[in-house]
Amino acid sequence: MALWSDRQNSEQALKTQAQSSLEQLVRVTSDNVRSYLQSASQIVKVNRANMGSGLISADDPSGQLLNFQALLDSVPQLNGVLVGHADGRFVFARRDGPGNTERFTRVIEVRPERRVLTSTYNQTGTLTSQSSEANDYDPRARPWYVLAQQKPGEVVWTDPYIFASSGQPGVTVASSLTGPGGPFVIGADVQLRQLADFLTGVQISANGRAFITDGSGHAIATSRAWPGEPGTGVPLLSEVADPALRALLDDNGLPATREGTRWYTVNGQQFAAVLRPVEVQPGVNWMVGVYAPTTDFTAGLNGSRSPLLFVLLVSLGGSLLAWPIVLRATRPLAELQRQATTDYLTGLPNRASFMAQLNETLRDPPGGAALGVAMFDLDGFKQVNDTFGHHTGDEVLHAVGARMLAALRVGDTLGRLGGDEFALLIQANSREEVRLRVEGVLDAIARRPIIVDGISHALASTAGLAFHDTDTRTTHPTEPRPENSAQLIARADTALIRGKRREKGRVWVEGEVTMPTLFR
């Protein structure tokens, strides 16, 4: 009886652990998806304000392209930016080439006759090709233009569709307004492939899947390949779902469980699923879901049998003391690794994991590149914690981590060191670029309040930035030893502490605040 009770308790503990892991995974994913998508909305609103005020002329393609190029350089979530006019004129710039480091532009003029100019640029901004071949593209027939004209003045989202220039699936955020030259529509493209790349990196069990769908049930992105055969467009979940996902869908092909955790059985196998809605724009809701067989959380090291059954057999063989020993031994190694390297609250690398990555980078720093470490401290977080409690503080830290993560570039490493302290490792072409990217992270944190339980919390952050001098590497015994991660972190932390005494809410580079000026 005692053995049976222990078995029941352990099953419940594993079930609770699985639910907690999936819920945390969905929270991190949904917050990142929201931040990722809202960047496109923000860009549309900014361009709308600039063109509405005349700061950028709606009738100046050259000025618009300069603006679009700057946006693509500074906002990694964007795939393209565009303007379409009621007379058929069109200005467009998007990412192109390997790693999206190159650029593709297209300008269509209609006066005095129709002309199309298509150009490509390499990663240094040098023109590599140009063509004036005829093209029948008409912005007025595209989904984003039609939808924006139907809802003038609003920011609208298209259903997923195939982009005409790249042939890739995506969504466009757009808004219409009227200028001196007549009505026109401003838009920003988000490729769904980038969301899929993000989900592919999400830590999930061997047989589980994370997915994103919109209000129409499209299979927008997934952490591993869909079992069904997609068509030429963006498929529906009902077309590509496996049996475990199909069991979650209603008659309309939408997830039947709107939010929360669900335990269910398919073909005799138990699954756990967690769904969470994501409001990407008022009135526009997507859904992030994660589902996995419960055996992924209870499978033995070889994945062939349940450890609960294995432990039961061992215990019946003679020793009840074998239960806790075998239970620990059969916990999935991947879960143990995740717990050892991941911050439980934000899903980011923890202190040990971040420091290990930093040490590895310092052992072989990039040649010819600037390498910087930034330390972040939230301004006003203690007041939130003291006034509203640790639950609110945890939710705020979770949201901040998601915003910071969404603002990063490929190759950046972000970690939570503890409390409200975060660290960021950045490699870039120059020190100025490193600083600008750290400022971009600060902006992502402070851009809008964080809402917890209906209460708005406006937060900002201060950062201290230190650079690693790659010239310090040496093997000569009389010269200084190479810098380690602790020393570089300490230098960035010193810049942060000294800088906060002068002014909060900005980046302080090591050396900007010296002792003589500190106490003026």
Side-chain angles (χ1 to χ4, degrees), residues 82-304:
L82 50 90
V83 172
H85 292 261
D87 58 5
R89 286 177 292 153
F90 182 60
V91 181
F92 174 60
R94 67 163 168 83
R95 301 181 185 277
D96 197 36
N100 284 326
T101 58
E102 301 174 359
R103 297 291 181 264
F104 170 98
T105 67
R106 175 166 291 159
V107 176
I108 299 177
E109 294 282 9
V110 296
R111 304 189 190 102
E113 59 184 12
R114 180 182 172 86
R115 301 186 308 279
V116 180
L117 184 64
T118 302
S119 309
T120 59
Y121 302 82
N122 64 18
Q123 58 185 356
T124 66
T126 302
L127 180 68
T128 55
S129 69
Q130 198 163 61
S131 169
S132 57
E133 292 182 5
N135 185 291
D136 61 359
Y137 181 90
D138 188 342
R140 298 166 295 186
R142 302 304 296 167
W144 50 270
Y145 190 95
V146 174
L147 186 59
Q149 290 289 19
Q150 291 173 351
K151 301 180 179 180
E154 297 183 26
V155 176
V156 298
W157 289 71
T158 67
D159 284 337
Y161 70 104
I162 302 300
F163 291 153
S165 62
S166 66
Q168 295 292 328
V171 295
T172 300
V173 188
S175 184
S176 66
L177 65 160
T178 301
F184 61 98
V185 174
I186 301 168
D189 287 343
V190 178
Q191 266 195 10
L192 300 185
R193 184 182 62 187
Q194 292 169 301
L195 286 175
D197 290 343
F198 168 74
L199 286 189
T200 301
V202 171
Q203 293 181 348
I204 193 172
S205 66
N207 301 294
R209 177 181 278 112
F211 67 91
I212 302 172
T213 185
D214 63 357
S216 300
H218 287 98
I220 288 176
T222 180
S223 57
R224 60 189 177 94
W226 298 108
E229 290 293 334
T232 57
V234 180
L236 298 173
L237 286 178
S238 57
E239 297 172 342
V240 296
D242 58 15
L245 177 55
R246 194 168 291 113
L248 295 174
L249 305 180
D250 60 19
D251 293 340
N252 296 318
L254 300 174
T257 303
R258 301 311 301 171
E259 183 174 7
T261 305
R262 175 180 172 183
W263 302 88
Y264 61 106
T265 301
V266 177
N267 298 329
Q269 186 175 26
Q270 188 181 46
F271 284 81
V274 178
L275 302 171
R276 185 182 176 111
V278 179
E279 187 180 55
V280 298
Q281 179 78 9
V284 179
N285 290 283
W286 287 14
M287 179 80 74
V288 172
V290 177
Y291 63 96
T294 54
T295 51
D296 278 9
F297 300 93
T298 60
L301 290 176
N302 61 8
S304 61

Side-chain angles (χ1 to χ4, degrees), residues 315-384:
S315 300
L316 289 175
S319 174
L320 294 179
L321 295 178
W323 174 265
I325 297 173
V326 178
L327 181 61
R328 286 197 299 271
T330 56
R331 179 178 294 174
L333 295 179
E335 173 63 17
L336 291 175
Q337 182 182 18
R338 187 193 67 81
Q339 291 178 355
T341 60
T342 304
D343 173 55
Y344 75 97
L345 185 62
T346 61
L348 298 172
N350 60 16
R351 176 183 286 272
S353 180
F354 180 85
M355 298 298 278
Q357 176 63 48
L358 180 55
N359 269 323
E360 182 179 342
T361 303
L362 293 179
R363 280 195 295 269
D364 186 22
L371 181 66
V373 168
M375 295 289 291
F376 296 82
D377 186 73
L378 298 183
D379 305 328
F381 177 74
K382 185 178 185 301
Q383 182 179 357
V384 172

